PDB file of all heavy atoms in Angstrom:
ATOM      1  N   VAL A   1     113.287  -6.504 -72.606  1.00 98.00           N
ATOM      2  CA  VAL A   1     111.961  -6.183 -73.115  1.00 98.00           C
ATOM      3  C   VAL A   1     110.972  -7.277 -72.741  1.00 98.00           C
ATOM      4  O   VAL A   1     111.297  -8.474 -72.757  1.00 98.00           O
ATOM      5  CB  VAL A   1     111.993  -5.960 -74.650  1.00 98.00           C
ATOM      6  CG1 VAL A   1     112.433  -7.210 -75.381  1.00 98.00           C
ATOM      7  CG2 VAL A   1     110.647  -5.463 -75.165  1.00 98.00           C
ATOM      8  N   HIS A   2     109.771  -6.858 -72.376  1.00 98.00           N
ATOM      9  CA  HIS A   2     108.685  -7.772 -72.030  1.00 98.00           C
ATOM     10  C   HIS A   2     107.438  -7.343 -72.794  1.00 98.00           C
ATOM     11  O   HIS A   2     107.163  -6.146 -72.918  1.00 98.00           O
ATOM     12  CB  HIS A   2     108.412  -7.722 -70.521  1.00 98.00           C
ATOM     13  CG  HIS A   2     107.223  -8.530 -70.098  1.00 98.00           C
ATOM     14  ND1 HIS A   2     107.244  -9.906 -70.023  1.00 98.00           N
ATOM     15  CD2 HIS A   2     105.968  -8.144 -69.740  1.00 98.00           C
ATOM     16  CE1 HIS A   2     106.061 -10.337 -69.630  1.00 98.00           C
ATOM     17  NE2 HIS A   2     105.264  -9.299 -69.456  1.00 98.00           N
ATOM     18  N   PHE A   3     106.679  -8.301 -73.298  1.00 98.00           N
ATOM     19  CA  PHE A   3     105.499  -8.007 -74.105  1.00 98.00           C
ATOM     20  C   PHE A   3     104.228  -8.458 -73.387  1.00 98.00           C
ATOM     21  O   PHE A   3     104.166  -9.565 -72.844  1.00 98.00           O
ATOM     22  CB  PHE A   3     105.584  -8.713 -75.461  1.00 98.00           C
ATOM     23  CG  PHE A   3     106.757  -8.281 -76.289  1.00 98.00           C
ATOM     24  CD1 PHE A   3     107.967  -8.967 -76.232  1.00 98.00           C
ATOM     25  CD2 PHE A   3     106.663  -7.177 -77.125  1.00 98.00           C
ATOM     26  CE1 PHE A   3     109.049  -8.568 -76.993  1.00 98.00           C
ATOM     27  CE2 PHE A   3     107.734  -6.772 -77.888  1.00 98.00           C
ATOM     28  CZ  PHE A   3     108.935  -7.464 -77.820  1.00 98.00           C
ATOM     29  N   THR A   4     103.220  -7.597 -73.405  1.00 98.00           N
ATOM     30  CA  THR A   4     101.911  -7.927 -72.854  1.00 98.00           C
ATOM     31  C   THR A   4     100.842  -7.598 -73.882  1.00 98.00           C
ATOM     32  O   THR A   4     100.684  -6.436 -74.268  1.00 98.00           O
ATOM     33  CB  THR A   4     101.622  -7.141 -71.565  1.00 98.00           C
ATOM     34  OG1 THR A   4     102.589  -7.479 -70.570  1.00 98.00           O
ATOM     35  CG2 THR A   4     100.222  -7.458 -71.039  1.00 98.00           C
ATOM     36  N   ARG A   5     100.125  -8.591 -74.350  1.00 98.00           N
ATOM     37  CA  ARG A   5      99.035  -8.379 -75.303  1.00 98.00           C
ATOM     38  C   ARG A   5      97.719  -8.312 -74.550  1.00 98.00           C
ATOM     39  O   ARG A   5      97.461  -9.134 -73.667  1.00 98.00           O
ATOM     40  CB  ARG A   5      98.989  -9.515 -76.329  1.00 98.00           C
ATOM     41  CG  ARG A   5      98.074  -9.237 -77.510  1.00 98.00           C
ATOM     42  CD  ARG A   5      97.977 -10.432 -78.433  1.00 98.00           C
ATOM     43  NE  ARG A   5      97.111 -11.458 -77.888  1.00 98.00           N
ATOM     44  CZ  ARG A   5      97.345 -12.775 -77.978  1.00 98.00           C
ATOM     45  NH1 ARG A   5      98.441 -13.219 -78.568  1.00 98.00           N
ATOM     46  NH2 ARG A   5      96.490 -13.639 -77.458  1.00 98.00           N
ATOM     47  N   ILE A   6      96.893  -7.325 -74.901  1.00 98.00           N
ATOM     48  CA  ILE A   6      95.564  -7.201 -74.314  1.00 98.00           C
ATOM     49  C   ILE A   6      94.537  -7.383 -75.421  1.00 98.00           C
ATOM     50  O   ILE A   6      94.508  -6.617 -76.391  1.00 98.00           O
ATOM     51  CB  ILE A   6      95.391  -5.843 -73.607  1.00 98.00           C
ATOM     52  CG1 ILE A   6      96.340  -5.766 -72.403  1.00 98.00           C
ATOM     53  CG2 ILE A   6      93.938  -5.646 -73.162  1.00 98.00           C
ATOM     54  CD1 ILE A   6      96.238  -4.503 -71.595  1.00 98.00           C
ATOM     55  N   ASP A   7      93.725  -8.403 -75.293  1.00 98.00           N
ATOM     56  CA  ASP A   7      92.750  -8.751 -76.326  1.00 98.00           C
ATOM     57  C   ASP A   7      91.459  -7.949 -76.177  1.00 98.00           C
ATOM     58  O   ASP A   7      91.214  -7.302 -75.159  1.00 98.00           O
ATOM     59  CB  ASP A   7      92.447 -10.247 -76.268  1.00 98.00           C
ATOM     60  CG  ASP A   7      93.658 -11.103 -76.633  1.00 98.00           C
ATOM     61  OD1 ASP A   7      94.601 -10.566 -77.261  1.00 98.00           O
ATOM     62  OD2 ASP A   7      93.668 -12.298 -76.278  1.00 98.00           O
ATOM     63  N   ASP A   8      90.639  -8.013 -77.238  1.00 97.00           N
ATOM     64  CA  ASP A   8      89.338  -7.329 -77.282  1.00 97.00           C
ATOM     65  C   ASP A   8      89.505  -5.824 -77.135  1.00 97.00           C
ATOM     66  O   ASP A   8      88.751  -5.159 -76.420  1.00 97.00           O
ATOM     67  CB  ASP A   8      88.395  -7.876 -76.211  1.00 97.00           C
ATOM     68  CG  ASP A   8      88.141  -9.362 -76.385  1.00 97.00           C
ATOM     69  OD1 ASP A   8      87.909  -9.789 -77.536  1.00 97.00           O
ATOM     70  OD2 ASP A   8      88.188 -10.102 -75.379  1.00 97.00           O
ATOM     71  N   SER A   9      90.495  -5.299 -77.816  1.00 97.00           N
ATOM     72  CA  SER A   9      90.762  -3.869 -77.755  1.00 97.00           C
ATOM     73  C   SER A   9      91.283  -3.401 -79.098  1.00 97.00           C
ATOM     74  O   SER A   9      91.968  -4.133 -79.810  1.00 97.00           O
ATOM     75  CB  SER A   9      91.799  -3.560 -76.670  1.00 97.00           C
ATOM     76  OG  SER A   9      92.135  -2.180 -76.664  1.00 97.00           O
ATOM     77  N   TYR A  10      90.954  -2.146 -79.433  1.00 96.00           N
ATOM     78  CA  TYR A  10      91.583  -1.492 -80.571  1.00 96.00           C
ATOM     79  C   TYR A  10      92.800  -0.719 -80.054  1.00 96.00           C
ATOM     80  O   TYR A  10      93.348  -1.043 -79.004  1.00 96.00           O
ATOM     81  CB  TYR A  10      90.597  -0.567 -81.269  1.00 96.00           C
ATOM     82  CG  TYR A  10      89.443  -1.239 -81.993  1.00 96.00           C
ATOM     83  CD1 TYR A  10      88.462  -0.467 -82.599  1.00 96.00           C
ATOM     84  CD2 TYR A  10      89.327  -2.633 -82.071  1.00 96.00           C
ATOM     85  CE1 TYR A  10      87.392  -1.059 -83.257  1.00 96.00           C
ATOM     86  CE2 TYR A  10      88.266  -3.224 -82.733  1.00 96.00           C
ATOM     87  CZ  TYR A  10      87.297  -2.434 -83.317  1.00 96.00           C
ATOM     88  OH  TYR A  10      86.236  -3.019 -83.972  1.00 96.00           O
ATOM     89  N   HIS A  11      93.200   0.306 -80.772  1.00 94.00           N
ATOM     90  CA  HIS A  11      94.440   1.027 -80.484  1.00 94.00           C
ATOM     91  C   HIS A  11      94.441   1.681 -79.102  1.00 94.00           C
ATOM     92  O   HIS A  11      95.457   1.702 -78.408  1.00 94.00           O
ATOM     93  CB  HIS A  11      94.651   2.083 -81.581  1.00 94.00           C
ATOM     94  CG  HIS A  11      95.883   2.898 -81.435  1.00 94.00           C
ATOM     95  ND1 HIS A  11      97.122   2.352 -81.227  1.00 94.00           N
ATOM     96  CD2 HIS A  11      96.069   4.247 -81.496  1.00 94.00           C
ATOM     97  CE1 HIS A  11      98.032   3.326 -81.163  1.00 94.00           C
ATOM     98  NE2 HIS A  11      97.414   4.473 -81.318  1.00 94.00           N
ATOM     99  N   PHE A  12      93.308   2.233 -78.681  1.00 94.00           N
ATOM    100  CA  PHE A  12      93.242   2.929 -77.399  1.00 94.00           C
ATOM    101  C   PHE A  12      92.887   1.939 -76.287  1.00 94.00           C
ATOM    102  O   PHE A  12      91.749   1.870 -75.822  1.00 94.00           O
ATOM    103  CB  PHE A  12      92.237   4.084 -77.477  1.00 94.00           C
ATOM    104  CG  PHE A  12      92.761   5.250 -78.252  1.00 94.00           C
ATOM    105  CD1 PHE A  12      92.625   5.298 -79.628  1.00 94.00           C
ATOM    106  CD2 PHE A  12      93.413   6.291 -77.613  1.00 94.00           C
ATOM    107  CE1 PHE A  12      93.124   6.366 -80.349  1.00 94.00           C
ATOM    108  CE2 PHE A  12      93.919   7.363 -78.327  1.00 94.00           C
ATOM    109  CZ  PHE A  12      93.770   7.395 -79.704  1.00 94.00           C
ATOM    110  N   ILE A  13      93.876   1.201 -75.847  1.00 96.00           N
ATOM    111  CA  ILE A  13      93.654   0.144 -74.864  1.00 96.00           C
ATOM    112  C   ILE A  13      93.110   0.715 -73.562  1.00 96.00           C
ATOM    113  O   ILE A  13      92.285   0.098 -72.889  1.00 96.00           O
ATOM    114  CB  ILE A  13      94.970  -0.620 -74.609  1.00 96.00           C
ATOM    115  CG1 ILE A  13      95.587  -1.095 -75.928  1.00 96.00           C
ATOM    116  CG2 ILE A  13      94.714  -1.825 -73.702  1.00 96.00           C
ATOM    117  CD1 ILE A  13      96.972  -1.687 -75.774  1.00 96.00           C
ATOM    118  N   MET A  14      93.581   1.907 -73.197  1.00 94.00           N
ATOM    119  CA  MET A  14      93.147   2.506 -71.934  1.00 94.00           C
ATOM    120  C   MET A  14      91.658   2.839 -71.935  1.00 94.00           C
ATOM    121  O   MET A  14      91.036   2.965 -70.886  1.00 94.00           O
ATOM    122  CB  MET A  14      93.975   3.763 -71.612  1.00 94.00           C
ATOM    123  CG  MET A  14      93.831   4.891 -72.615  1.00 94.00           C
ATOM    124  SD  MET A  14      94.782   4.638 -74.140  1.00 94.00           S
ATOM    125  CE  MET A  14      96.434   4.932 -73.555  1.00 94.00           C
ATOM    126  N   ILE A  15      91.062   2.965 -73.114  1.00 91.00           N
ATOM    127  CA  ILE A  15      89.622   3.193 -73.233  1.00 91.00           C
ATOM    128  C   ILE A  15      88.863   1.871 -73.313  1.00 91.00           C
ATOM    129  O   ILE A  15      87.881   1.657 -72.614  1.00 91.00           O
ATOM    130  CB  ILE A  15      89.301   4.036 -74.478  1.00 91.00           C
ATOM    131  CG1 ILE A  15      89.890   5.429 -74.349  1.00 91.00           C
ATOM    132  CG2 ILE A  15      87.792   4.110 -74.719  1.00 91.00           C
ATOM    133  CD1 ILE A  15      89.646   6.310 -75.567  1.00 91.00           C
ATOM    134  N   ASP A  16      89.348   0.978 -74.152  1.00 95.00           N
ATOM    135  CA  ASP A  16      88.605  -0.254 -74.423  1.00 95.00           C
ATOM    136  C   ASP A  16      88.737  -1.301 -73.319  1.00 95.00           C
ATOM    137  O   ASP A  16      87.809  -2.077 -73.083  1.00 95.00           O
ATOM    138  CB  ASP A  16      89.063  -0.856 -75.752  1.00 95.00           C
ATOM    139  CG  ASP A  16      88.674  -0.009 -76.948  1.00 95.00           C
ATOM    140  OD1 ASP A  16      87.675   0.727 -76.845  1.00 95.00           O
ATOM    141  OD2 ASP A  16      89.362  -0.080 -77.987  1.00 95.00           O
ATOM    142  N   GLN A  17      89.891  -1.327 -72.648  1.00 96.00           N
ATOM    143  CA  GLN A  17      90.112  -2.323 -71.585  1.00 96.00           C
ATOM    144  C   GLN A  17      90.827  -1.658 -70.408  1.00 96.00           C
ATOM    145  O   GLN A  17      91.977  -1.990 -70.079  1.00 96.00           O
ATOM    146  CB  GLN A  17      90.957  -3.486 -72.130  1.00 96.00           C
ATOM    147  CG  GLN A  17      90.265  -4.347 -73.165  1.00 96.00           C
ATOM    148  CD  GLN A  17      89.131  -5.162 -72.579  1.00 96.00           C
ATOM    149  OE1 GLN A  17      89.023  -5.345 -71.367  1.00 96.00           O
ATOM    150  NE2 GLN A  17      88.266  -5.684 -73.442  1.00 96.00           N
ATOM    151  N   PRO A  18      90.192  -0.700 -69.744  1.00 96.00           N
ATOM    152  CA  PRO A  18      90.885   0.061 -68.699  1.00 96.00           C
ATOM    153  C   PRO A  18      91.363  -0.784 -67.524  1.00 96.00           C
ATOM    154  O   PRO A  18      92.435  -0.519 -66.970  1.00 96.00           O
ATOM    155  CB  PRO A  18      89.845   1.097 -68.261  1.00 96.00           C
ATOM    156  CG  PRO A  18      88.530   0.535 -68.692  1.00 96.00           C
ATOM    157  CD  PRO A  18      88.807  -0.232 -69.942  1.00 96.00           C
ATOM    158  N   GLU A  19      90.582  -1.803 -67.122  1.00 97.00           N
ATOM    159  CA  GLU A  19      90.993  -2.607 -65.972  1.00 97.00           C
ATOM    160  C   GLU A  19      92.201  -3.479 -66.310  1.00 97.00           C
ATOM    161  O   GLU A  19      93.182  -3.535 -65.559  1.00 97.00           O
ATOM    162  CB  GLU A  19      89.823  -3.472 -65.488  1.00 97.00           C
ATOM    163  CG  GLU A  19      88.664  -2.671 -64.920  1.00 97.00           C
ATOM    164  CD  GLU A  19      89.094  -1.774 -63.763  1.00 97.00           C
ATOM    165  OE1 GLU A  19      89.906  -2.229 -62.937  1.00 97.00           O
ATOM    166  OE2 GLU A  19      88.622  -0.632 -63.689  1.00 97.00           O
ATOM    167  N   LYS A  20      92.146  -4.154 -67.441  1.00 98.00           N
ATOM    168  CA  LYS A  20      93.290  -4.981 -67.863  1.00 98.00           C
ATOM    169  C   LYS A  20      94.518  -4.111 -68.105  1.00 98.00           C
ATOM    170  O   LYS A  20      95.646  -4.496 -67.764  1.00 98.00           O
ATOM    171  CB  LYS A  20      92.940  -5.761 -69.131  1.00 98.00           C
ATOM    172  CG  LYS A  20      91.904  -6.854 -68.936  1.00 98.00           C
ATOM    173  CD  LYS A  20      91.635  -7.570 -70.248  1.00 98.00           C
ATOM    174  CE  LYS A  20      90.580  -8.648 -70.091  1.00 98.00           C
ATOM    175  NZ  LYS A  20      90.293  -9.320 -71.397  1.00 98.00           N
ATOM    176  N   PHE A  21      94.296  -2.952 -68.697  1.00 98.00           N
ATOM    177  CA  PHE A  21      95.403  -2.052 -68.965  1.00 98.00           C
ATOM    178  C   PHE A  21      96.042  -1.574 -67.663  1.00 98.00           C
ATOM    179  O   PHE A  21      97.268  -1.575 -67.515  1.00 98.00           O
ATOM    180  CB  PHE A  21      94.909  -0.856 -69.783  1.00 98.00           C
ATOM    181  CG  PHE A  21      95.974   0.166 -70.052  1.00 98.00           C
ATOM    182  CD1 PHE A  21      96.987  -0.090 -70.956  1.00 98.00           C
ATOM    183  CD2 PHE A  21      95.971   1.389 -69.400  1.00 98.00           C
ATOM    184  CE1 PHE A  21      97.981   0.851 -71.209  1.00 98.00           C
ATOM    185  CE2 PHE A  21      96.945   2.334 -69.637  1.00 98.00           C
ATOM    186  CZ  PHE A  21      97.958   2.068 -70.542  1.00 98.00           C
ATOM    187  N   GLY A  22      95.215  -1.176 -66.706  1.00 97.00           N
ATOM    188  CA  GLY A  22      95.738  -0.709 -65.432  1.00 97.00           C
ATOM    189  C   GLY A  22      96.563  -1.779 -64.732  1.00 97.00           C
ATOM    190  O   GLY A  22      97.632  -1.494 -64.186  1.00 97.00           O
ATOM    191  N   ARG A  23      96.075  -3.008 -64.754  1.00 97.00           N
ATOM    192  CA  ARG A  23      96.825  -4.107 -64.124  1.00 97.00           C
ATOM    193  C   ARG A  23      98.157  -4.340 -64.827  1.00 97.00           C
ATOM    194  O   ARG A  23      99.178  -4.608 -64.170  1.00 97.00           O
ATOM    195  CB  ARG A  23      95.989  -5.381 -64.123  1.00 97.00           C
ATOM    196  CG  ARG A  23      94.812  -5.346 -63.141  1.00 97.00           C
ATOM    197  CD  ARG A  23      94.247  -6.740 -62.906  1.00 97.00           C
ATOM    198  NE  ARG A  23      93.667  -7.317 -64.117  1.00 97.00           N
ATOM    199  CZ  ARG A  23      92.408  -7.186 -64.481  1.00 97.00           C
ATOM    200  NH1 ARG A  23      91.565  -6.463 -63.735  1.00 97.00           N
ATOM    201  NH2 ARG A  23      91.951  -7.771 -65.577  1.00 97.00           N
ATOM    202  N   ALA A  24      98.166  -4.234 -66.150  1.00 98.00           N
ATOM    203  CA  ALA A  24      99.404  -4.442 -66.897  1.00 98.00           C
ATOM    204  C   ALA A  24     100.428  -3.359 -66.575  1.00 98.00           C
ATOM    205  O   ALA A  24     101.627  -3.636 -66.430  1.00 98.00           O
ATOM    206  CB  ALA A  24      99.106  -4.468 -68.398  1.00 98.00           C
ATOM    207  N   VAL A  25      99.977  -2.119 -66.468  1.00 98.00           N
ATOM    208  CA  VAL A  25     100.887  -1.030 -66.129  1.00 98.00           C
ATOM    209  C   VAL A  25     101.423  -1.204 -64.712  1.00 98.00           C
ATOM    210  O   VAL A  25     102.634  -1.047 -64.466  1.00 98.00           O
ATOM    211  CB  VAL A  25     100.192   0.332 -66.276  1.00 98.00           C
ATOM    212  CG1 VAL A  25     101.050   1.457 -65.695  1.00 98.00           C
ATOM    213  CG2 VAL A  25      99.898   0.615 -67.756  1.00 98.00           C
ATOM    214  N   GLU A  26     100.554  -1.528 -63.774  1.00 97.00           N
ATOM    215  CA  GLU A  26     100.994  -1.700 -62.389  1.00 97.00           C
ATOM    216  C   GLU A  26     101.993  -2.848 -62.273  1.00 97.00           C
ATOM    217  O   GLU A  26     102.967  -2.757 -61.514  1.00 97.00           O
ATOM    218  CB  GLU A  26      99.786  -1.932 -61.488  1.00 97.00           C
ATOM    219  CG  GLU A  26      98.938  -0.662 -61.299  1.00 97.00           C
ATOM    220  CD  GLU A  26      97.692  -0.911 -60.468  1.00 97.00           C
ATOM    221  OE1 GLU A  26      97.034  -1.953 -60.670  1.00 97.00           O
ATOM    222  OE2 GLU A  26      97.386  -0.073 -59.617  1.00 97.00           O
ATOM    223  N   ALA A  27     101.783  -3.911 -63.033  1.00 96.00           N
ATOM    224  CA  ALA A  27     102.724  -5.026 -63.023  1.00 96.00           C
ATOM    225  C   ALA A  27     104.078  -4.605 -63.577  1.00 96.00           C
ATOM    226  O   ALA A  27     105.133  -5.039 -63.091  1.00 96.00           O
ATOM    227  CB  ALA A  27     102.159  -6.190 -63.824  1.00 96.00           C
ATOM    228  N   ALA A  28     104.070  -3.766 -64.590  1.00 97.00           N
ATOM    229  CA  ALA A  28     105.320  -3.273 -65.187  1.00 97.00           C
ATOM    230  C   ALA A  28     106.036  -2.307 -64.258  1.00 97.00           C
ATOM    231  O   ALA A  28     107.274  -2.233 -64.264  1.00 97.00           O
ATOM    232  CB  ALA A  28     105.039  -2.607 -66.516  1.00 97.00           C
TER     233      ALA A  28
END
C-alpha cells in the first residue's frame, strides 16, 4: 500500500485539484 495526500481539496479531489489528481493517478 502507498499513500498520497492531496492538499487544498475536499472529498472530490478530481474536481478540486484535477492536475494534482491526474499526476497522482498516472504515477500509480
